[in-house]
PDB file of all heavy atoms in Angstrom:
ATOM      1  N   SER E 689     294.292 152.931 187.312  1.00 88.00           N
ATOM      2  CA  SER E 689     294.906 152.580 188.599  1.00 88.00           C
ATOM      3  C   SER E 689     295.275 153.797 189.420  1.00 88.00           C
ATOM      4  O   SER E 689     295.533 153.688 190.625  1.00 88.00           O
ATOM      5  CB  SER E 689     296.154 151.719 188.369  1.00 88.00           C
ATOM      6  OG  SER E 689     297.187 152.476 187.757  1.00 88.00           O
ATOM      7  N   ARG E 690     295.297 154.974 188.781  1.00 87.00           N
ATOM      8  CA  ARG E 690     295.680 156.192 189.479  1.00 87.00           C
ATOM      9  C   ARG E 690     294.486 157.090 189.805  1.00 87.00           C
ATOM     10  O   ARG E 690     294.663 158.204 190.291  1.00 87.00           O
ATOM     11  CB  ARG E 690     296.705 156.968 188.652  1.00 87.00           C
ATOM     12  CG  ARG E 690     298.076 156.313 188.650  1.00 87.00           C
ATOM     13  CD  ARG E 690     299.047 156.989 187.687  1.00 87.00           C
ATOM     14  NE  ARG E 690     300.392 156.521 187.908  1.00 87.00           N
ATOM     15  CZ  ARG E 690     300.862 155.335 187.511  1.00 87.00           C
ATOM     16  NH1 ARG E 690     300.064 154.504 186.854  1.00 87.00           N
ATOM     17  NH2 ARG E 690     302.104 154.980 187.763  1.00 87.00           N
ATOM     18  N   LEU E 691     293.288 156.604 189.526  1.00 91.00           N
ATOM     19  CA  LEU E 691     292.101 157.385 189.838  1.00 91.00           C
ATOM     20  C   LEU E 691     291.775 157.279 191.323  1.00 91.00           C
ATOM     21  O   LEU E 691     292.122 156.299 191.972  1.00 91.00           O
ATOM     22  CB  LEU E 691     290.912 156.886 189.013  1.00 91.00           C
ATOM     23  CG  LEU E 691     290.987 157.139 187.504  1.00 91.00           C
ATOM     24  CD1 LEU E 691     289.790 156.503 186.808  1.00 91.00           C
ATOM     25  CD2 LEU E 691     291.038 158.637 187.197  1.00 91.00           C
ATOM     26  N   PRO E 692     291.077 158.275 191.880  1.00 90.00           N
ATOM     27  CA  PRO E 692     290.676 158.221 193.294  1.00 90.00           C
ATOM     28  C   PRO E 692     289.766 157.028 193.566  1.00 90.00           C
ATOM     29  O   PRO E 692     289.119 156.508 192.647  1.00 90.00           O
ATOM     30  CB  PRO E 692     289.910 159.549 193.489  1.00 90.00           C
ATOM     31  CG  PRO E 692     290.422 160.446 192.414  1.00 90.00           C
ATOM     32  CD  PRO E 692     290.722 159.554 191.240  1.00 90.00           C
ATOM     33  N   PRO E 693     289.691 156.580 194.830  1.00 88.00           N
ATOM     34  CA  PRO E 693     288.922 155.378 195.181  1.00 88.00           C
ATOM     35  C   PRO E 693     287.459 155.423 194.767  1.00 88.00           C
ATOM     36  O   PRO E 693     286.859 154.382 194.489  1.00 88.00           O
ATOM     37  CB  PRO E 693     289.049 155.323 196.711  1.00 88.00           C
ATOM     38  CG  PRO E 693     290.313 156.049 197.012  1.00 88.00           C
ATOM     39  CD  PRO E 693     290.416 157.126 195.980  1.00 88.00           C
ATOM     40  N   GLU E 694     286.847 156.626 194.698  1.00 90.00           N
ATOM     41  CA  GLU E 694     285.419 156.685 194.368  1.00 90.00           C
ATOM     42  C   GLU E 694     285.120 156.163 192.969  1.00 90.00           C
ATOM     43  O   GLU E 694     283.989 155.768 192.673  1.00 90.00           O
ATOM     44  CB  GLU E 694     284.877 158.110 194.518  1.00 90.00           C
ATOM     45  CG  GLU E 694     285.608 159.165 193.716  1.00 90.00           C
ATOM     46  CD  GLU E 694     286.665 159.889 194.534  1.00 90.00           C
ATOM     47  OE1 GLU E 694     287.211 159.264 195.467  1.00 90.00           O
ATOM     48  OE2 GLU E 694     286.920 161.063 194.243  1.00 90.00           O
ATOM     49  N   TYR E 695     286.143 156.119 192.116  1.00 89.00           N
ATOM     50  CA  TYR E 695     285.922 155.615 190.760  1.00 89.00           C
ATOM     51  C   TYR E 695     285.796 154.086 190.738  1.00 89.00           C
ATOM     52  O   TYR E 695     285.440 153.513 189.717  1.00 89.00           O
ATOM     53  CB  TYR E 695     287.052 156.065 189.830  1.00 89.00           C
ATOM     54  CG  TYR E 695     286.899 157.502 189.397  1.00 89.00           C
ATOM     55  CD1 TYR E 695     287.374 158.539 190.199  1.00 89.00           C
ATOM     56  CD2 TYR E 695     286.255 157.836 188.216  1.00 89.00           C
ATOM     57  CE1 TYR E 695     287.218 159.859 189.823  1.00 89.00           C
ATOM     58  CE2 TYR E 695     286.098 159.155 187.833  1.00 89.00           C
ATOM     59  CZ  TYR E 695     286.583 160.163 188.648  1.00 89.00           C
ATOM     60  OH  TYR E 695     286.413 161.477 188.272  1.00 89.00           O
ATOM     61  N   ASN E 696     286.088 153.439 191.875  1.00 88.00           N
ATOM     62  CA  ASN E 696     285.901 151.986 191.944  1.00 88.00           C
ATOM     63  C   ASN E 696     284.432 151.605 191.835  1.00 88.00           C
ATOM     64  O   ASN E 696     284.102 150.450 191.552  1.00 88.00           O
ATOM     65  CB  ASN E 696     286.465 151.450 193.266  1.00 88.00           C
ATOM     66  CG  ASN E 696     287.975 151.578 193.349  1.00 88.00           C
ATOM     67  OD1 ASN E 696     288.651 151.631 192.322  1.00 88.00           O
ATOM     68  ND2 ASN E 696     288.505 151.640 194.554  1.00 88.00           N
ATOM     69  N   GLN E 697     283.534 152.576 192.076  1.00 90.00           N
ATOM     70  CA  GLN E 697     282.106 152.296 192.016  1.00 90.00           C
ATOM     71  C   GLN E 697     281.556 152.402 190.597  1.00 90.00           C
ATOM     72  O   GLN E 697     280.414 152.011 190.354  1.00 90.00           O
ATOM     73  CB  GLN E 697     281.351 153.282 192.925  1.00 90.00           C
ATOM     74  CG  GLN E 697     281.875 153.362 194.341  1.00 90.00           C
ATOM     75  CD  GLN E 697     281.845 152.018 195.043  1.00 90.00           C
ATOM     76  OE1 GLN E 697     280.880 151.257 194.913  1.00 90.00           O
ATOM     77  NE2 GLN E 697     282.903 151.710 195.784  1.00 90.00           N
ATOM     78  N   VAL E 698     282.368 152.933 189.678  1.00 90.00           N
ATOM     79  CA  VAL E 698     281.905 153.108 188.303  1.00 90.00           C
ATOM     80  C   VAL E 698     281.933 151.774 187.566  1.00 90.00           C
ATOM     81  O   VAL E 698     282.896 151.005 187.687  1.00 90.00           O
ATOM     82  CB  VAL E 698     282.787 154.146 187.558  1.00 90.00           C
ATOM     83  CG1 VAL E 698     282.322 154.306 186.112  1.00 90.00           C
ATOM     84  CG2 VAL E 698     282.746 155.480 188.284  1.00 90.00           C
ATOM     85  N   GLN E 699     280.894 151.507 186.804  1.00 92.00           N
ATOM     86  CA  GLN E 699     280.839 150.259 186.039  1.00 92.00           C
ATOM     87  C   GLN E 699     282.004 150.195 185.053  1.00 92.00           C
ATOM     88  O   GLN E 699     282.336 151.200 184.417  1.00 92.00           O
ATOM     89  CB  GLN E 699     279.512 150.154 185.291  1.00 92.00           C
ATOM     90  CG  GLN E 699     278.304 150.042 186.202  1.00 92.00           C
ATOM     91  CD  GLN E 699     277.001 149.916 185.427  1.00 92.00           C
ATOM     92  OE1 GLN E 699     277.008 149.843 184.199  1.00 92.00           O
ATOM     93  NE2 GLN E 699     275.896 149.905 186.144  1.00 92.00           N
ATOM     94  N   PRO E 700     282.629 149.011 184.903  1.00 91.00           N
ATOM     95  CA  PRO E 700     283.819 148.886 184.042  1.00 91.00           C
ATOM     96  C   PRO E 700     283.624 149.419 182.631  1.00 91.00           C
ATOM     97  O   PRO E 700     284.509 150.085 182.090  1.00 91.00           O
ATOM     98  CB  PRO E 700     284.085 147.377 184.044  1.00 91.00           C
ATOM     99  CG  PRO E 700     283.531 146.902 185.344  1.00 91.00           C
ATOM    100  CD  PRO E 700     282.312 147.739 185.595  1.00 91.00           C
ATOM    101  N   GLU E 701     282.474 149.138 182.011  1.00 92.00           N
ATOM    102  CA  GLU E 701     282.275 149.592 180.631  1.00 92.00           C
ATOM    103  C   GLU E 701     282.230 151.110 180.547  1.00 92.00           C
ATOM    104  O   GLU E 701     282.795 151.719 179.637  1.00 92.00           O
ATOM    105  CB  GLU E 701     280.979 149.008 180.069  1.00 92.00           C
ATOM    106  CG  GLU E 701     280.746 149.391 178.606  1.00 92.00           C
ATOM    107  CD  GLU E 701     279.497 148.756 178.013  1.00 92.00           C
ATOM    108  OE1 GLU E 701     278.819 147.994 178.720  1.00 92.00           O
ATOM    109  OE2 GLU E 701     279.201 149.039 176.839  1.00 92.00           O
ATOM    110  N   ILE E 702     281.567 151.737 181.538  1.00 93.00           N
ATOM    111  CA  ILE E 702     281.480 153.197 181.546  1.00 93.00           C
ATOM    112  C   ILE E 702     282.853 153.808 181.807  1.00 93.00           C
ATOM    113  O   ILE E 702     283.254 154.779 181.167  1.00 93.00           O
ATOM    114  CB  ILE E 702     280.470 153.653 182.619  1.00 93.00           C
ATOM    115  CG1 ILE E 702     279.065 153.165 182.248  1.00 93.00           C
ATOM    116  CG2 ILE E 702     280.478 155.169 182.764  1.00 93.00           C
ATOM    117  CD1 ILE E 702     278.026 153.437 183.309  1.00 93.00           C
ATOM    118  N   LEU E 703     283.606 153.220 182.752  1.00 94.00           N
ATOM    119  CA  LEU E 703     284.953 153.708 183.043  1.00 94.00           C
ATOM    120  C   LEU E 703     285.850 153.555 181.823  1.00 94.00           C
ATOM    121  O   LEU E 703     286.611 154.471 181.470  1.00 94.00           O
ATOM    122  CB  LEU E 703     285.532 152.935 184.231  1.00 94.00           C
ATOM    123  CG  LEU E 703     286.891 153.410 184.756  1.00 94.00           C
ATOM    124  CD1 LEU E 703     286.786 154.823 185.301  1.00 94.00           C
ATOM    125  CD2 LEU E 703     287.399 152.464 185.840  1.00 94.00           C
ATOM    126  N   TYR E 704     285.743 152.416 181.159  1.00 94.00           N
ATOM    127  CA  TYR E 704     286.543 152.151 179.960  1.00 94.00           C
ATOM    128  C   TYR E 704     286.273 153.208 178.891  1.00 94.00           C
ATOM    129  O   TYR E 704     287.198 153.797 178.324  1.00 94.00           O
ATOM    130  CB  TYR E 704     286.216 150.759 179.431  1.00 94.00           C
ATOM    131  CG  TYR E 704     286.804 150.454 178.067  1.00 94.00           C
ATOM    132  CD1 TYR E 704     288.114 150.015 177.945  1.00 94.00           C
ATOM    133  CD2 TYR E 704     286.050 150.615 176.908  1.00 94.00           C
ATOM    134  CE1 TYR E 704     288.656 149.741 176.704  1.00 94.00           C
ATOM    135  CE2 TYR E 704     286.585 150.345 175.659  1.00 94.00           C
ATOM    136  CZ  TYR E 704     287.890 149.913 175.559  1.00 94.00           C
ATOM    137  OH  TYR E 704     288.422 149.645 174.329  1.00 94.00           O
ATOM    138  N   ASN E 705     284.995 153.460 178.621  1.00 94.00           N
ATOM    139  CA  ASN E 705     284.655 154.439 177.590  1.00 94.00           C
ATOM    140  C   ASN E 705     285.154 155.827 177.936  1.00 94.00           C
ATOM    141  O   ASN E 705     285.680 156.561 177.087  1.00 94.00           O
ATOM    142  CB  ASN E 705     283.129 154.482 177.394  1.00 94.00           C
ATOM    143  CG  ASN E 705     282.607 153.254 176.668  1.00 94.00           C
ATOM    144  OD1 ASN E 705     283.291 152.687 175.839  1.00 94.00           O
ATOM    145  ND2 ASN E 705     281.393 152.844 177.004  1.00 94.00           N
ATOM    146  N   GLY E 706     285.002 156.213 179.224  1.00 94.00           N
ATOM    147  CA  GLY E 706     285.432 157.540 179.637  1.00 94.00           C
ATOM    148  C   GLY E 706     286.931 157.727 179.509  1.00 94.00           C
ATOM    149  O   GLY E 706     287.399 158.761 179.018  1.00 94.00           O
ATOM    150  N   ILE E 707     287.698 156.730 179.952  1.00 94.00           N
ATOM    151  CA  ILE E 707     289.155 156.839 179.876  1.00 94.00           C
ATOM    152  C   ILE E 707     289.625 156.801 178.429  1.00 94.00           C
ATOM    153  O   ILE E 707     290.519 157.573 178.031  1.00 94.00           O
ATOM    154  CB  ILE E 707     289.819 155.713 180.695  1.00 94.00           C
ATOM    155  CG1 ILE E 707     289.537 155.918 182.187  1.00 94.00           C
ATOM    156  CG2 ILE E 707     291.320 155.672 180.445  1.00 94.00           C
ATOM    157  CD1 ILE E 707     290.073 154.820 183.077  1.00 94.00           C
ATOM    158  N   LEU E 708     289.052 155.921 177.619  1.00 95.00           N
ATOM    159  CA  LEU E 708     289.463 155.840 176.220  1.00 95.00           C
ATOM    160  C   LEU E 708     289.183 157.150 175.494  1.00 95.00           C
ATOM    161  O   LEU E 708     290.016 157.631 174.714  1.00 95.00           O
ATOM    162  CB  LEU E 708     288.741 154.681 175.525  1.00 95.00           C
ATOM    163  CG  LEU E 708     289.116 154.457 174.044  1.00 95.00           C
ATOM    164  CD1 LEU E 708     290.623 154.253 173.900  1.00 95.00           C
ATOM    165  CD2 LEU E 708     288.346 153.274 173.485  1.00 95.00           C
ATOM    166  N   ASP E 709     288.031 157.751 175.746  1.00 95.00           N
ATOM    167  CA  ASP E 709     287.728 159.051 175.141  1.00 95.00           C
ATOM    168  C   ASP E 709     288.764 160.088 175.549  1.00 95.00           C
ATOM    169  O   ASP E 709     289.228 160.892 174.725  1.00 95.00           O
ATOM    170  CB  ASP E 709     286.340 159.524 175.574  1.00 95.00           C
ATOM    171  CG  ASP E 709     285.227 158.772 174.863  1.00 95.00           C
ATOM    172  OD1 ASP E 709     285.516 158.112 173.854  1.00 95.00           O
ATOM    173  OD2 ASP E 709     284.069 158.840 175.329  1.00 95.00           O
ATOM    174  N   GLN E 710     289.160 160.068 176.829  1.00 94.00           N
ATOM    175  CA  GLN E 710     290.158 161.040 177.281  1.00 94.00           C
ATOM    176  C   GLN E 710     291.493 160.816 176.576  1.00 94.00           C
ATOM    177  O   GLN E 710     292.134 161.780 176.131  1.00 94.00           O
ATOM    178  CB  GLN E 710     290.367 160.948 178.792  1.00 94.00           C
ATOM    179  CG  GLN E 710     291.563 161.797 179.246  1.00 94.00           C
ATOM    180  CD  GLN E 710     291.698 161.900 180.734  1.00 94.00           C
ATOM    181  OE1 GLN E 710     290.712 162.008 181.442  1.00 94.00           O
ATOM    182  NE2 GLN E 710     292.926 161.887 181.219  1.00 94.00           N
ATOM    183  N   LEU E 711     291.921 159.572 176.488  1.00 95.00           N
ATOM    184  CA  LEU E 711     293.213 159.285 175.853  1.00 95.00           C
ATOM    185  C   LEU E 711     293.212 159.683 174.385  1.00 95.00           C
ATOM    186  O   LEU E 711     294.217 160.208 173.867  1.00 95.00           O
ATOM    187  CB  LEU E 711     293.547 157.801 176.009  1.00 95.00           C
ATOM    188  CG  LEU E 711     293.848 157.338 177.448  1.00 95.00           C
ATOM    189  CD1 LEU E 711     294.020 155.828 177.494  1.00 95.00           C
ATOM    190  CD2 LEU E 711     295.080 158.038 177.994  1.00 95.00           C
ATOM    191  N   ILE E 712     292.114 159.434 173.708  1.00 96.00           N
ATOM    192  CA  ILE E 712     292.016 159.830 172.289  1.00 96.00           C
ATOM    193  C   ILE E 712     292.095 161.346 172.175  1.00 96.00           C
ATOM    194  O   ILE E 712     292.844 161.888 171.335  1.00 96.00           O
ATOM    195  CB  ILE E 712     290.714 159.294 171.669  1.00 96.00           C
ATOM    196  CG1 ILE E 712     290.787 157.780 171.515  1.00 96.00           C
ATOM    197  CG2 ILE E 712     290.449 159.957 170.313  1.00 96.00           C
ATOM    198  CD1 ILE E 712     289.486 157.132 171.083  1.00 96.00           C
ATOM    199  N   GLN E 713     291.348 162.050 172.997  1.00 95.00           N
ATOM    200  CA  GLN E 713     291.351 163.511 172.930  1.00 95.00           C
ATOM    201  C   GLN E 713     292.706 164.080 173.318  1.00 95.00           C
ATOM    202  O   GLN E 713     293.177 165.056 172.728  1.00 95.00           O
ATOM    203  CB  GLN E 713     290.244 164.061 173.824  1.00 95.00           C
ATOM    204  CG  GLN E 713     288.841 163.737 173.313  1.00 95.00           C
ATOM    205  CD  GLN E 713     287.751 164.145 174.274  1.00 95.00           C
ATOM    206  OE1 GLN E 713     287.976 164.946 175.186  1.00 95.00           O
ATOM    207  NE2 GLN E 713     286.551 163.593 174.095  1.00 95.00           N
TER     208      GLN E 713
END
């Protein structure tokens, strides 16, 4: 919810994987 508007174009599954990887790291 705090990402810039351009991330609204990213597919949900790809966004989910990217954020989850960041949180784990």
Side-chain angles (χ1 to χ4, degrees):
S689 68
R690 287 173 168 76
L691 292 176
E694 56 264 29
Y695 282 85
N696 293 336
Q697 308 302 319
V698 179
Q699 295 181 4
E701 183 177 359
I702 295 174
L703 186 64
Y704 170 83
N705 287 328
I707 293 176
L708 182 56
D709 285 345
Q710 171 172 321
L711 292 174
I712 290 172
Q713 292 174 17

